[in-house]
Amino acid sequence: MQEHIFFYYTNDFHSYFEQWPKVADFLKGKQRIHTQLEQDYYIVDIGDHIDRVHPIAEASLGKENITLLNALRYDAVTLGNNEGITLPYDALYHLYDEAAFDVVCANLQPIGDAPPTWLQSSTTFTTKQGTTIALVGLTAAFYTFYRRLGWQIEDPYIALQEELASLRSTHDIVILLSHLGLHEDEKIAEQFPEIDCIIGGHTHHLLKSGKYVHKTLITSAGKFAFYVGEVIFTWDTVQKKITNHSAQAVHIADLKNDKATERHVNKLKQQAIDQMEQSVLTLNRKFEVDWFKQTDLIQLLTSGLRKWTKADCAMLNAGVLLNSWLGGTITDYDIHKICPHPINPCVIELTGDELLEVVRGAHMEELIHFPLKGFGFRGEVLGVFVFAGLDIYATILEDGHTFIQAVYMNGAPIEKHKLYTLATADTFTFGDLFPAIRRAKNKAFFMPEFLRDVLKQTLIDTYGH
């Protein structure tokens, strides 16, 4: 006798609430069908559902994301890095207190406190016919960030090995909810063939029909819930084995909006805006934002970052500011619209040689026009780079490139072997935009504050008297 078991999932939603009514229409349709046919189905999320780029997530610190997941009757979720490292400790500790679903993450624990009541390393679902399904969750190991926030993150491979030691022998089907990225999912499938399916996220990869690594099925549905994932298991209840499992990512752009969900989202958005319309200060001047010019506002923020971190110098890209300010009362909502990114300040220790390398790189046209996606950046392009605490002498060559002639700090030229501290966005500690920053050994991250918190304080310090 054969049993069909259905899983539906979202991953890397990033608070793209405009899409949520379509997700609701899709999932409610599937729920009606499977309920009528008396089939077992489960709905899961693979993390980064929360993104504080949106006012609903910002005002509620993610709590309303949980409300929406509850409303669609999700069964289980794991944590992404946006849940894990963009929320203050207490906000994450109590994030899922009202969750009507299981939260699984095998490689995360608080430092010094008992685990929150909602946190499980794995959970078990049992179908109507008695088939047992284990779900294990793992999240990306941003060690330094978690430690700064009061959490202990474990190597996901070690945590997974410990969890699988008991699960495989006691469960019919084992599924990993992985917010680790496609490369890691492929490695895990090679190393742990006892996993039947890996539902993945983090790297925003779209696998429209899934892929197999040996007998392990790997699947993911991109980002922003433009697709919803589906996995179907065919289980032989006599032979006690999977006879088939397949995956697809279903494009839902043509679906209608579920009206009840649309009303709910609109209500939450207005509530969030109302909550954030708290006056910060009144400005009798306007600030223009231009991603390709050194405007007063980006210079003010860069200087404020240097002061706030007490670094020798600071560097920011103009693309972190998204909106101009025309004057009058400025609110928390305005500041969020101007600088919505979940980006933390950080200070990097560099030699003079490395600092000069960063300065030269920041003047490259390719970098200025680079349309960065991810690493906390929620803008369009990086824009020009602005410095505080440095005097940079440059000339434009005939080919249009910028040649750095000299760089001074406090009237003295930068010394190649001397150590300096540079304050910047944590964005640049990831990837290869600035290799000297990425490879620097000493980095200090300021958490849980975001750049917009520095902007707010700088405006108050400068104009609030």
Side-chain angles (χ1 to χ4, degrees):
M1 183 175 177
Q2 289 190 334
E3 174 185 16
H4 297 292
I5 306 164
F6 299 82
F7 274 83
Y8 299 97
Y9 69 89
T10 47
N11 63 274
D12 298 287
F13 177 63
H14 285 283
S15 293
Y16 201 80
F17 292 110
E18 295 81 359
Q19 187 70 1
W20 197 246
K22 293 186 186 301
V23 175
D25 183 64
F26 177 83
L27 291 178
K28 286 182 177 181
K30 294 297 183 181
Q31 288 168 336
R32 286 191 295 269
I33 292 170
H34 295 309
T35 299
Q36 185 178 7
L37 297 175
E38 297 185 342
Q39 294 172 322
D40 289 286
Y41 69 92
Y42 305 94
I43 305 174
V44 298
D45 184 81
I46 317 302
D48 276 6
H49 192 279
I50 294 170
D51 193 317
R52 290 176 61 185
V53 70
H54 196 286
I56 291 175
E58 175 71 1
S60 69
L61 291 178
K63 283 281 192 176
E64 296 297 1
N65 291 70
I66 309 310
T67 299
L68 292 171
L69 291 167
N70 282 341
L72 290 184
R73 308 205 313 266
Y74 271 66
D75 295 286
V77 307
T78 194
L79 281 75
N81 48 287
N82 272 268
E83 285 85 14
I85 63 175
T86 72
L87 294 172
Y89 177 83
D90 286 341
L92 176 56
Y93 194 90
H94 294 289
L95 176 63
Y96 299 100
D97 285 353
E98 306 302 321
F101 46 81
D102 293 332
V103 183
V104 290
C105 189
N107 64 325
L108 181 69
Q109 292 289 326
I111 298 172
D113 285 330
T117 55
W118 46 261
L119 181 59
Q120 307 174 72
S121 55
S122 64
T123 191
T124 299
F125 297 149
T126 304
T127 70
K128 296 180 185 69
Q129 296 192 41
T131 304
T132 55
I133 306 165
L135 268 68
V136 184
L138 292 174
T139 195
F142 290 93
Y143 296 101
T144 303
F145 288 85
Y146 276 107
R147 195 177 306 114
R148 288 282 298 166
L149 288 168
W151 296 88
Q152 179 67 42
I153 194 79
E154 187 180 0
D155 182 297
Y157 289 83
I158 295 174
L160 181 60
Q161 187 169 23
E162 293 173 352
E163 199 65 22
L164 289 177
S166 60
L167 291 180
R168 182 72 269 186
S169 61
T170 56
H171 292 76
D172 297 315
I173 298 172
V174 175
I175 300 173
L176 173 63
L177 308 185
S178 165
H179 197 85
L180 300 176
L182 178 58
H183 178 66
E184 298 301 324
D185 291 350
E186 291 170 338
K187 286 174 60 179
I188 286 173
E190 289 278 0
Q191 189 169 331
F192 300 97
E194 60 266 43
I195 298 173
D196 298 302
C197 178
I198 300 174
I199 306 177
H202 185 48
T203 46
H204 300 177
H205 48 290
L206 175 62
L207 300 175
K208 290 186 177 181
S209 301
K211 66 175 294 185
Y212 291 89
V213 175
H214 305 305
K215 293 183 179 181
T216 300
L217 174 62
I218 299 176
T219 182
S220 187
K223 63 179 180 179
F224 300 157
F226 293 135
Y227 292 79
V228 175
E230 177 184 63
V231 181
I232 304 173
F233 293 91
T234 302
W235 176 258
D236 190 308
T237 58
V238 176
Q239 298 183 62
K240 295 291 184 180
K241 69 176 185 177
I242 296 171
T243 56
N244 186 48
H245 57 337
S246 62
Q248 64 172 330
V250 182
H251 194 227
I252 63 171
D254 295 331
L255 295 185
K256 67 181 190 301
N257 286 345
D258 177 72
K259 294 304 180 184
T261 302
E262 188 173 42
R263 289 192 296 270
H264 190 185
V265 169
N266 289 338
K267 180 182 178 181
L268 292 177
K269 183 177 180 180
Q270 190 56 55
Q271 289 175 347
I273 292 172
D274 292 344
Q275 181 180 332
M276 295 170 67
E277 288 283 19
Q278 301 294 320
S279 174
V280 174
L281 75 164
T282 299
L283 296 177
N284 296 319
R285 60 156 298 174
K286 65 180 181 179
F287 281 112
E288 296 289 345
V289 166
D290 188 325
W291 300 331
F292 303 107
K293 292 182 181 178
Q294 182 174 313
T295 63
D296 289 345
L297 188 57
I298 188 62
Q299 186 63 66
L300 181 71
L301 176 56
T302 308
S303 298
L305 177 64
R306 180 195 176 202
K307 178 181 177 182
W308 195 77
T309 59
K310 298 180 174 60
D312 295 325
C313 55
M315 176 190 77
L316 285 175
N317 57 301
V320 298
L321 301 179
L322 302 190
N323 292 292
S324 298
W325 174 246
L326 301 180
T329 301
I330 187 167
T331 67
D332 285 319
Y333 181 54
D334 293 316
I335 290 174
H336 184 269
K337 286 191 295 182
I338 291 169
C339 191
H341 326 270
I343 292 175
N344 303 106
C346 69
V347 172
I348 299 101
E349 189 177 73
L350 300 169
T351 65
D353 249 349
E354 292 168 331
L355 181 58
L356 291 171
E357 179 186 330
V358 169
V359 171
R360 286 191 291 267
H363 285 81
M364 294 174 59
E365 285 295 316
E366 309 93 276
L367 199 60
I368 292 169
H369 292 273
F370 185 68
L372 179 65
K373 301 297 180 185
F375 301 136
F377 184 68
R378 304 294 184 253
E380 298 294 329
V381 296
L382 288 176
V384 298
F385 285 82
V386 176
F387 290 83
L390 294 177
D391 295 311
I392 300 170
Y393 298 90
T395 186
I396 306 298
L397 303 176
E398 290 184 3
D399 61 4
H401 289 85
T402 300
F403 175 70
I404 305 300
Q405 296 174 305
V407 180
Y408 284 75
M409 180 183 292
N410 299 324
I414 296 297
E415 300 177 33
K416 290 186 175 184
H417 301 293
K418 184 177 178 179
L419 291 177
Y420 299 89
T421 52
L422 171 71
T424 190
D426 69 1
T427 300
F428 303 121
T429 65
F430 306 108
D432 290 313
L433 295 172
F434 290 97
I437 292 177
R438 176 183 50 78
R439 65 175 180 257
K441 293 181 179 179
N442 294 325
K443 303 181 182 81
F445 297 94
F446 292 77
M447 306 177 72
E449 297 87 358
F450 290 154
L451 284 182
R452 59 176 166 269
D453 298 308
V454 179
L455 176 60
K456 177 179 177 178
Q457 191 59 52
T458 300
L459 287 169
I460 292 171
D461 292 344
T462 308
Y463 297 102
H465 302 296

